[in-house]
Amino acid sequence: MLLYDSPVSGNCYKVRLLLAHLGIPYERRGLDVVDRSNRPEVLGGLNPSLRVPTLVLDDGRPLGESGAILWYFGEGTRFVPDDAYERAQVLQWLFFEQYDHEPAVAVARFWLVYSGRPEEVRDQLPELHAKGNRALAAMERHLDDGRQWFVGDGLTLADIALYGYTHVANEGGFELARYPRIEAWLERVAAQPGHVPITAT
């Protein structure tokens, strides 16, 4: 199994984190997050969006989009609840992460730390920070009811998806100290058996 990957991408890290928890071996092939000139050549026949992560299964079938890959491997494991409503809640948080959270938190981080051109986003940063803080505040409120995890009583795909970019949000200029329940949740996720950091090779 081959994962087209970027070591700094939170979307790729989510997939690597789940595979680590499940003990599933795979190969990694790194692609640049800034210079994407070779994406059509490398990913053109595998992923219509030309994005990472893109996974090629052992039988040669490709699968793109971090949420889809998480669901493919998570279904039938402890990371997807048996209860239909709780499964839907997991999907709710996966969609929230991609629609409300990632477009602000991940984009601010990319431009400030990895683009090499942080000045180009200076005028957009206040809006990115406002949107990202709204998403983080929604997460904080959800955890305010004494919840340890985003869905149910244990780590699920919802936590893995949200952890990917939240735990490095400070790199995008977000002050996680404003969100003590999120900080405590981040510690719980990192303390789980099988956890690997984003820097793991």
Side-chain angles (χ1 to χ4, degrees), residues 1-4 15 19 26-27 43 46-47 51 53-57 60-65 69 72-73:
M1 193 167 67
L2 176 62
L3 178 66
Y4 288 95
V15 173
L19 294 177
Y26 62 97
E27 296 179 39
L43 299 179
L46 303 174
N47 185 341
R51 285 196 292 262
T54 296
L55 190 76
V56 181
L57 299 169
R61 290 179 298 167
L63 187 60
E65 301 299 330
I69 298 170
Y72 179 83
F73 287 101

Side-chain angles (χ1 to χ4, degrees), residues 80-101:
V80 175
D82 292 331
D83 178 76
Y85 179 72
E86 288 192 346
R87 285 201 305 277
Q89 285 184 309
V90 169
L91 287 170
Q92 169 190 296
W93 285 109
L94 263 64
F95 298 149
F96 167 88
E97 191 274 337
Q98 286 288 284
Y99 187 78
D100 291 298
H101 184 289

Side-chain angles (χ1 to χ4, degrees), residues 3-14 16-17 26 28-34 39 52-53 109 114 164-165 167-168 171 196-201:
L3 178 66
Y4 288 95
D5 176 60
S6 162
V8 302
S9 162
N11 284 322
C12 294
Y13 171 52
K14 299 170 205 171
R16 298 196 308 270
L17 181 55
Y26 62 97
R28 290 170 68 179
R29 186 169 302 169
L31 294 179
D32 198 305
V33 291
V34 178
R39 294 287 181 94
V52 290
R109 173 179 177 258
Y114 298 104
Y165 281 112
H167 86 290
V168 289
E171 294 182 3
V196 292
I198 195 170
T199 53
T201 56

Side-chain angles (χ1 to χ4, degrees), residues 129-175:
H129 284 155
K131 290 179 178 178
N133 280 307
R134 279 198 296 273
L136 293 168
M139 293 169 61
E140 181 81 359
R141 285 194 302 274
H142 185 71
L143 295 169
D144 193 24
D145 288 338
R147 294 183 179 94
Q148 300 290 298
W149 308 101
F150 273 86
V151 178
D153 296 326
L155 187 74
T156 68
L157 296 186
D159 301 286
I160 289 174
L162 289 165
Y163 185 85
Y165 281 112
T166 302
H167 86 290
V168 289
N170 60 307
E171 294 182 3
F174 296 93
E175 298 177 20

